[in-house]
Amino acid sequence: MEDKLIQVKYKEGNSIEAFDDSTQSLIRETIEFASNAYAPYSNFHVSAGLMLDNGKIVKGTNVENASYPVSICAERTLLSHTVSNYPKNKIQKIAIYVDKDLSEPVPPCGVCRQTLLEVEKRQAQPIEVILISKSGTYIVFEKCADLLPLYFDGEVL
Ligand code: THU
């Protein structure tokens, strides 16, 4: 047996001024959009915003249900909407925000990572992932696959 090491490269920072103007707009719009979250059970308001290859910004939130497992995360609300409504466009980047007093950004759940991966694989172009905290700190991954080492995808089927 041999030891193996998986390394993931990411960037972190604490001022969104470091991003270009259009990415700053994406981040600001995504943060504002958290007020649309429907999360009466968890009170955990999540928003996600993405930028298409034509510069259009599309946003989504988590949407909960009294039958808890029926709830859907912000990322998957957004990705399902985008895949359905903009089938010809590629996604350049996605920003994810949690409206809670936390000093660090909140990484997406495993199901959302798998969903992000599927969309990234399908479009054969990396989607940058920007995680933003309420305190203003952020983490940036070059691509969705970086969030899911040893991923399962359709190539083995
Ligand atoms: N949630 C998201 O929207 N995205 C994630 O990646 C993790 C969790 C939502 C689901 C639920 O409405 C609430 O956060 C608490 O789990």
Side-chain angles (χ1 to χ4, degrees):
M1 246 194 291
E2 226 183 300
D3 285 335
K4 297 282 186 184
L5 180 68
I6 296 172
Q7 287 184 315
V8 178
K9 191 177 78 175
Y10 63 93
K11 290 185 165 66
E12 63 176 16
N14 54 24
S15 163
I16 69 159
E17 311 285 312
F19 293 95
D20 63 29
D21 287 351
S22 65
T23 307
Q24 286 187 37
S25 300
L26 171 68
I27 292 170
R28 291 206 173 91
E29 282 195 34
T30 301
I31 291 171
E32 279 174 26
F33 207 69
S35 59
N36 283 9
Y38 177 65
Y41 305 104
S42 71
N43 209 27
F44 193 76
H45 298 89
V46 187
S47 53
L50 58 78
M51 186 174 291
L52 297 175
D53 51 8
N54 60 5
K56 186 178 172 60
I57 291 175
V58 190
K59 290 162 287 186
T61 68
N62 54 333
V63 180
E64 297 186 347
N65 192 285
S67 175
Y68 297 167
V70 178
S71 304
I72 185 164
C73 295
E75 297 89 328
R76 280 175 295 128
T77 301
L78 174 61
L79 291 170
S80 295
H81 175 80
T82 305
V83 167
S84 303
N85 287 280
Y86 305 97
K88 294 196 168 68
N89 291 99
K90 293 190 178 185
I91 299 169
Q92 289 181 332
K93 53 190 81 179
I94 182 168
I96 302 165
Y97 173 71
V98 173
D99 189 16
K100 185 171 177 173
D101 285 321
L102 298 166
S103 54
E104 300 296 325
V106 178
C109 81
V111 175
C112 288
R113 293 178 198 215
Q114 185 73 28
T115 309
L116 283 160
L117 183 80
E118 183 81 22
V119 176
E120 182 172 83
K121 286 277 168 186
R122 182 189 185 202
Q123 70 173 32
Q125 190 176 294
I127 302 172
E128 188 178 73
V129 182
I130 305 167
L131 310 178
I132 312 142
S133 77
K134 194 166 183 170
S135 70
T137 58
Y138 59 80
I139 294 178
V140 184
F141 294 90
E142 270 175 22
K143 55 185 185 301
C144 301
D146 291 341
L147 281 157
L148 200 60
L150 301 179
Y151 56 73
F152 173 82
D153 78 345
E155 274 172 40
V156 295
L157 296 176

